[in-house]
Amino acid sequence: MDKKTDRFTRTPMREQKPDVRKHNFDEVPCGYSEEEAVREATRCLQCKHAPCINGCPVHIKIPEFLKLIEEKKYSDAAQKIKEDNALPAVCGRVCPQEIQCELKCVLHGKGAPIAIGNLERFAADWQREHQQAPLERCAIKKNGKKVAIVGSGPSGLTVADELIRAGFEVTIFEALHVAGGVLMYGIPEFRLPKRIMQEEIHHLELLGVKIETNFVVGKTAELDDLFSDEYGFDAIYIGSGAGLPVFMGIPGENSVGVYSANEYLTRSNLMGAYKQNATTPISHGKHVVVVGGGNVAMDAARTALRLGAEHSVIIYRRSEVEMPARDEDVQHAKEEGVEFHCLCNPVAILSDAKGVVTGIRSSRMELGELDDSGRARPVAIKDSEFEIACDVVIIAIGNHPNPLIPQTAPDIDISSRGTIIVDETTGRTSKKYVYAGGDIVTGSATVILAMGAGKIAAKSMIEDLL
Amino acid sequence: MHTILKKERLNELVWRYRIAAPKIAKKRQAGQFVIVRVESDGERVPLTIADADASAGWIELIVQAVGHTTTKMSQLNEGDVILDLMGPLGHPTEIKKYGRCLCIGGGVGVAALYSIASALKAAENEVTTIVGARNQNLLLLETELEKVSDRLLIATDDGSKGQHGFVSDVFKKLQAQGEHFDFAIIVGPVMMMKVTSDLTVAAGIKTLVSLNPIMIDGTGMCGGCRVCVNNEIKFACVDGPEFDASGVDWDTVMQRLNAYHDVEKKHQCKLNGLPHDG
């Protein structure tokens, strides 16, 4: 390392300026140059015990790939990541590294931890842009077993990657017309360009993974059909996600102009409503209120700005400290002009005679005792109600598990919350040769946790079937 | 590949499509629907499955060219391929031996009605079918419905065929004649379902209505199709499409259907090359 290089200071990533980016759907961070990447990777101390790896739900060999970047072997670095993670270009962008690998970095506290996420993204992007498709998996020996994967979100794709490499014949069944799950319909273009997502999926297809879109497991075929001679699968992995939006149950919620975040983001992302020529309509609200404090709420509030909103407001019932969204996303939203009303809870959505939204009424809240989640419980302050005028309300307060599989597979044990019950160490469900992971098991969580669950299930599927 | 095997014009704006869809044909039951997409970057629209043949591997859809996507679809011909077709979705109609059944419908709702009436008839029910239209040229599936019904009664707004008036008038007449029924299913325009189900429910008949709200994914993910039933939010795609009429909040059903009315008008103008005023 150059003696002048500061071991403790992070190499920043260039970003589009807030007043420019809030009018376009292009990605906000611009990525590292080779020089920046090498400089950042060189800061790594190459600790023998590598605590960062323990912070990663899929255990990427972080010091090894950082070393390869330092040596300017960028494609090798990407390969090293792909040994453990099928979607590095995605995770480099959307993982909450600050509470995972980067939190465990020994530089953390003394200075800034290594920008592991930025470097993961750099390696994956470099390999993709230089079209150095990995060759090692071309000659995979088949083991003769067939596996069906339900859902093509992060956990399903991870299982597909693990099992195709282990010699299985792998088919992913996706209900929508495009593969990718929440990465396609949920996360907006400006955080995760859809082109990159599709290339990561295409990469899996090159390895031999088959993807059947427009196929709703539970409807087009039930689990038992997939085991029958007609389909002939030996095992099934369920990664159908947390698909059922939660509403607040307050008056006016069915008014015209009230969306679940899923609907709003799906219209914009998956159906391309943000493009000029798309046929799927979306309300181009001038005054948009988003209810919720997670990443999805930030995505919705920032999408609204890009669709032309003059005001985009977040209403969150706890304080900013409790906000589950990533700091980076909250920061980006603030820079772009999203207004935050914390410690507020909606009590009614107001509408005109035609049932079209005109505003939202909320109570101010204060924090009380800790609740089951370990966070301070918000309590309404008496006589504190106030109104905000708006023409669109987006509800982003979470999702229930998708009911389609539980409805049609009564022999799978389901929790009272509607999630599929599995043995956490193996991903096995109560039904033989059926495994599950991701949001359908945990309820709404992160991309990388879903991927971690996929890896665990894949491992036990290999054990059980071979 | 979902190839269009047969296309038949039923009236000025309505077509019947027979489409190759072996997996859906095999699973489909009365009352279920599919989601269709006909162009990239296009909408996803729900359409009821009117009929299917599992061994021949096709389903039939009745399409009325009212919006952007249905108009685009009406321009497709035999041999063309439907870009995306997903299903069968929704809970099937609960078919059992109820006794005397009423199947009431209007508009393209008769597509669903036909599949349900067939199934009820096959389950040894006595089926009285009442269908309505503005005039006799707009009546759909009359011959088909006649085959699966013990009797078919018709109402037209202009009196060109059958009872002069609405399907609700036909029901009132039956009621006045002292007829009783054990079960009713109503599928059609929202106002027709509301008015008619108010009467059948008041007459103490267990009544289901098949709702057709705006929908996107069809798998419960977006919540766009939510309806208020017994003061609870339900999703038509995964909880429906049929609901007990006595609990349906019709006002919100109507409000939400009109959400994109203005946008649709613009699309129509674009498709027809007409200027629009918005």
Side-chain angles (χ1 to χ4, degrees):
Chain A
M1 178 184 262
D2 182 338
K3 277 178 190 151
K4 285 177 190 158
T5 306
D6 180 355
R7 174 77 71 185
F8 298 113
T9 306
R10 174 180 286 218
T11 310
M13 188 179 275
R14 284 160 290 124
E15 291 181 345
Q16 276 200 79
K17 296 256 179 303
D19 52 343
V20 175
R21 72 187 191 228
K22 73 179 191 186
H23 299 299
N24 68 50
F25 275 87
D26 298 338
E27 201 174 3
V28 170
C30 307
Y32 276 157
S33 66
E34 290 183 23
E35 187 210 339
E36 288 165 333
V38 170
R39 192 195 317 154
E40 181 64 14
T42 307
R43 290 209 298 132
C44 174
L45 297 168
Q46 294 290 319
C47 313
K48 282 278 170 294
H49 64 304
C52 49
I53 298 179
N54 290 327
C56 173
V58 298
H59 306 295
I60 293 172
K61 299 178 212 60
I62 293 164
E64 289 183 44
F65 98 76
L66 294 183
K67 187 80 193 159
L68 287 164
I69 292 179
E70 189 182 333
E71 292 166 359
K72 302 189 179 176
K73 295 174 184 161
Y74 308 127
S75 191
D76 292 349
Q79 267 325 98
K80 185 56 72 183
I81 303 170
K82 284 185 176 170
E83 286 175 13
D84 302 290
N85 181 341
L87 308 170
V90 174
C91 291
R93 288 172 165 81
V94 306
C95 262
Q97 292 96 7
E98 64 277 9
I99 56 166
Q100 295 178 162
C101 52
E102 293 177 10
L103 181 67
K104 300 284 176 80
C105 177
V106 297
L107 287 177
H108 187 74
K110 302 175 188 72
I114 306 291
I116 298 167
N118 289 353
L119 289 165
E120 180 183 26
R121 169 187 163 153
F122 166 79
D125 286 356
W126 194 94
Q127 188 185 53
R128 190 184 60 253
E129 281 156 18
H130 293 76
Q131 291 183 328
Q132 300 208 346
L135 301 169
E136 49 115 0
R137 299 175 193 174
C138 291
I140 300 164
K141 195 160 166 274
K142 289 281 166 209
N143 64 31
K145 301 281 186 186
K146 273 179 79 174
V147 170
I149 294 170
V150 184
S152 60
S155 84
L157 293 176
T158 299
V159 175
D161 179 65
E162 296 283 323
L163 295 184
I164 199 87
R165 286 196 277 156
F168 289 83
E169 198 180 307
V170 178
T171 305
I172 300 179
F173 294 103
E174 166 57 46
L176 296 175
H177 57 269
V178 181
V182 70
L183 305 171
M184 284 302 291
Y185 72 72
I187 301 179
E189 181 77 14
F190 56 83
R191 276 215 300 138
L192 177 61
K194 301 305 148 213
R195 177 182 53 82
I196 290 172
M197 191 53 221
Q198 287 309 305
E199 286 182 37
E200 300 244 39
I201 291 170
H202 181 62
H203 173 74
L204 286 175
E205 288 182 300
L206 287 178
L207 297 177
V209 173
K210 286 183 221 144
I211 300 180
E212 265 209 58
T213 53
N214 295 313
F215 194 111
V216 191
V217 173
K219 292 290 180 187
T220 314
E222 288 165 27
L223 291 183
D224 285 336
D225 296 326
L226 296 179
F227 284 126
S228 73
D229 289 345
E230 185 190 350
Y231 288 93
F233 288 102
D234 299 295
I236 300 169
Y237 176 80
I238 304 170
S240 50
L244 205 72
V246 176
F247 288 91
M248 290 179 290
I250 61 174
E253 217 168 5
N254 292 322
S255 308
V256 174
V258 182
Y259 293 92
S260 75
N262 283 1
E263 179 181 0
Y264 190 75
L265 292 171
T266 297
R267 281 179 185 272
S268 178
N269 301 333
L270 182 76
M271 307 309 298
Y274 70 88
K275 299 177 198 163
Q276 279 276 308
N277 290 324
T279 49
T280 295
I282 194 163
S283 292
H284 292 258
K286 287 287 167 223
H287 304 277
V288 176
V289 169
V290 180
V291 182
N295 289 325
V296 177
M298 301 305 137
D299 285 347
R302 297 171 69 196
T303 295
L305 286 178
R306 285 157 174 81
L307 289 174
E310 288 162 18
H311 292 106
S312 180
V313 176
I314 294 262
I315 292 186
Y316 178 56
R317 62 193 185 126
R318 303 178 202 256
S319 75
E320 198 175 319
V321 184
E322 285 84 15
M323 234 179 220
R326 289 184 69 187
D327 292 347
E328 182 186 302
D329 290 333
V330 174
Q331 231 28 64
H332 277 152
K334 283 185 174 170
E335 288 166 10
E336 289 165 13
V338 174
E339 297 160 34
F340 285 70
H341 287 251
C342 291
L343 287 167
C344 293
N345 197 33
V347 293
I349 294 168
L350 315 170
S351 60
D352 64 15
K354 285 182 170 171
V356 179
V357 171
T358 56
I360 188 163
R361 183 184 301 141
S362 308
S363 274
R364 298 202 187 275
M365 312 294 279
E366 56 191 356
L367 293 178
E369 290 172 10
L370 299 189
D371 67 8
D372 295 345
S373 71
R375 296 178 295 177
R377 186 191 302 274
V379 184
I381 300 171
K382 219 179 152 203
D383 299 327
S384 65
E385 289 186 6
F386 67 102
E387 288 174 9
I388 299 176
C390 60
D391 44 14
V392 167
V393 174
I394 301 166
I395 315 287
I397 57 170
N399 287 288
H400 290 308
N402 192 288
L404 284 181
I405 304 256
Q407 271 177 4
T408 54
D411 48 350
I412 288 187
D413 288 348
I414 305 293
S415 75
S416 57
R417 292 187 303 143
T419 52
I420 294 179
I421 298 171
V422 300
D423 174 346
E424 274 177 38
T425 58
T426 63
R428 293 185 190 116
T429 69
S430 57
K431 190 174 166 83
K432 204 158 194 267
Y433 295 121
V434 177
Y435 308 76
D439 284 2
I440 189 68
V441 169
T442 56
S444 303
T446 61
V447 168
I448 191 68
L449 287 174
M451 293 178 69
K455 282 194 80 159
I456 290 169
K459 188 161 167 275
S460 54
M461 291 171 88
I462 294 169
E463 276 169 25
D464 293 354
L465 290 165
L466 297 184
Chain B
M1 290 273 275
H2 300 296
T3 310
I4 297 171
L5 305 172
K6 203 167 133 190
K7 178 187 182 184
E8 185 189 350
R9 192 166 199 160
L10 300 182
N11 69 36
E12 196 191 343
L13 281 179
V14 180
W15 284 264
R16 169 159 49 193
Y17 284 88
R18 180 172 291 184
I19 300 163
K23 288 189 185 111
I24 299 174
K26 198 170 160 191
K27 275 289 177 186
R28 153 277 170 190
Q29 296 174 62
Q32 289 187 298
F33 62 95
V34 289
I35 290 234
V36 171
R37 212 170 70 107
V38 294
E39 55 184 347
S40 59
D41 276 339
E43 286 175 294
R44 299 164 59 90
V45 293
L47 295 169
T48 306
I49 305 169
D51 203 357
D53 185 325
S55 56
W58 52 254
I59 60 168
E60 282 188 348
L61 305 176
I62 309 280
V63 181
Q64 182 170 21
V66 283
H68 176 86
T69 299
T70 44
T71 302
K72 279 271 174 187
M73 190 169 168
S74 72
Q75 292 159 1
L76 297 177
N77 292 306
E78 285 172 18
D80 289 342
V81 169
I82 304 284
L83 181 62
D84 293 296
L85 186 64
M86 159 187 155
L89 299 171
H91 288 295
T93 313
E94 192 187 348
I95 300 294
K96 60 179 184 188
K97 190 166 176 180
Y98 292 98
R100 300 193 79 215
C101 294
L102 265 179
C103 296
I104 304 175
V108 282
V110 297
L113 199 70
Y114 170 67
S115 73
I116 296 165
S118 317
L120 286 171
K121 183 69 191 154
E124 297 179 352
N125 289 286
E126 189 193 321
V127 177
T128 296
T129 301
I130 310 174
V131 289
R134 282 208 309 280
N135 62 55
Q136 66 169 339
N137 296 329
L138 297 178
L139 280 167
L140 297 170
L141 307 186
E142 200 183 327
T143 329
E144 289 83 348
L145 283 166
E146 205 144 34
K147 277 186 206 151
V148 298
S149 311
D150 292 281
R151 64 177 159 168
L152 174 66
L153 304 170
I154 288 167
T156 50
D157 298 6
D158 65 353
S160 52
K161 186 154 193 183
Q163 163 97 33
H164 189 161
F166 305 118
V167 289
S168 51
D169 297 324
V170 178
F171 171 74
K172 280 188 218 159
K173 212 166 163 182
L174 295 178
Q175 213 182 2
Q177 288 163 4
E179 294 205 29
H180 80 275
F181 296 92
D182 304 298
F183 174 76
I185 170 94
I186 310 178
V187 198
V190 176
M191 190 48 91
M192 189 210 88
M193 290 197 282
K194 175 185 162 29
V195 170
T196 316
S197 69
D198 281 351
L199 295 172
T200 57
V201 169
I205 305 168
K206 178 185 166 63
T207 304
L208 298 183
V209 287
S210 180
L211 300 182
N212 188 13
I214 293 171
M215 219 175 253
I216 302 179
D217 64 297
T219 64
M221 189 266 285
C222 82
C225 66
R226 64 189 184 277
V227 290
C228 198
V229 181
N230 293 322
N231 295 320
E232 246 183 87
I233 289 181
K234 294 282 179 190
F235 294 172
C237 62
V238 292
D239 299 318
E242 288 165 15
F243 295 96
D244 196 306
S246 59
V248 173
D249 175 356
W250 291 105
D251 290 344
T252 56
V253 170
M254 280 185 259
Q255 263 172 26
R256 295 186 60 77
L257 266 180
N258 291 328
Y260 295 103
H261 192 68
D262 294 344
V263 187
E264 268 302 342
K265 268 204 290 198
K266 279 190 205 174
H267 279 313
Q268 280 298 311
C269 296
K270 260 197 247 173
L271 280 171
N272 302 328
L274 300 171
H276 58 74
D277 54 1

